[in-house]
Amino acid sequence: MIRYAVVVTGLLASLSSVASSNIQVERINSVYDADTFRVDISNWPDIVGKNIPIRVNGVDAAEIRGKCPSEKAQAKAARDYTRAFLESGSNIELRNIKRGKYFRLLADVYVDDQSLSEALIVSGHARSYHGGTRKGWCNL
């Protein structure tokens, strides 16, 4: 287990060298909510490139496990929007990659050069977010 942790830590540390380059997504495996999904990344070692969770940079969206029925409904609509957005394009890129919490990659996500963050905000499925206290979704 310790060896696994050392290998994973080393591979994630090497992300700093690729953070300035755009990474092509090979396949979308699942979409959990509007700002979190899992992908396969071509030419990356399987331990970090297969089924890796991605957190979309710059947005806050309602949570699937929200605090009220309204938030849960908003979260499902936002998740479906993200899924359709990702599936609509032929080229998905991760840009400005950083290491986030929970073993996720934090990245700007572009589908055929269209920003997922901007699309989520403009469509009303997310708000701009850059850290700090999050606002609730139940009073909307």
Side-chain angles (χ1 to χ4, degrees):
M1 186 65 161
I2 293 173
R3 182 178 288 166
Y4 173 79
V6 169
V7 169
V8 170
T9 302
L11 288 170
L12 287 175
S14 69
L15 280 176
S16 62
S17 65
V18 298
S20 61
S21 61
N22 298 343
I23 303 301
Q24 297 293 114
V25 170
E26 178 181 345
R27 186 176 89 155
I28 301 293
N29 295 325
S30 64
V31 178
Y32 177 73
D33 62 17
D35 54 19
T36 307
F37 54 93
R38 290 182 167 270
V39 301
D40 290 344
I41 300 173
S42 301
N43 303 318
W44 278 30
D46 287 354
I47 196 166
V48 293
K50 295 293 181 205
N51 204 35
I52 188 77
I54 306 298
R55 169 71 168 83
V56 180
N57 191 30
V59 295
D60 173 49
E63 299 294 329
I64 294 291
R65 295 181 183 158
K67 296 180 181 179
C68 65
S70 172
E71 181 176 7
K72 292 175 185 178
Q74 290 174 77
K76 289 177 184 174
R79 175 201 58 205
D80 295 346
Y81 180 89
T82 292
R83 183 180 292 128
F85 191 87
L86 292 170
E87 292 174 351
S88 71
S90 58
N91 184 35
I92 301 170
E93 288 182 333
L94 306 177
R95 302 177 186 174
N96 304 313
I97 299 170
K98 298 175 188 162
R99 185 174 167 200
K101 295 192 297 185
Y102 314 115
F103 194 67
R104 298 182 297 193
L105 299 182
L106 180 63
D108 297 329
V109 179
Y110 286 83
V111 178
D112 295 338
D113 286 323
Q114 301 277 336
S115 168
L116 174 56
S117 296
E118 288 179 20
L120 283 166
I121 292 167
V122 168
S123 69
H125 290 294
R127 295 183 277 231
S128 179
Y129 178 74
H130 299 285
T133 304
R134 294 177 47 236
K135 296 179 184 175
W137 289 89
C138 290
N139 296 327
L140 300 177

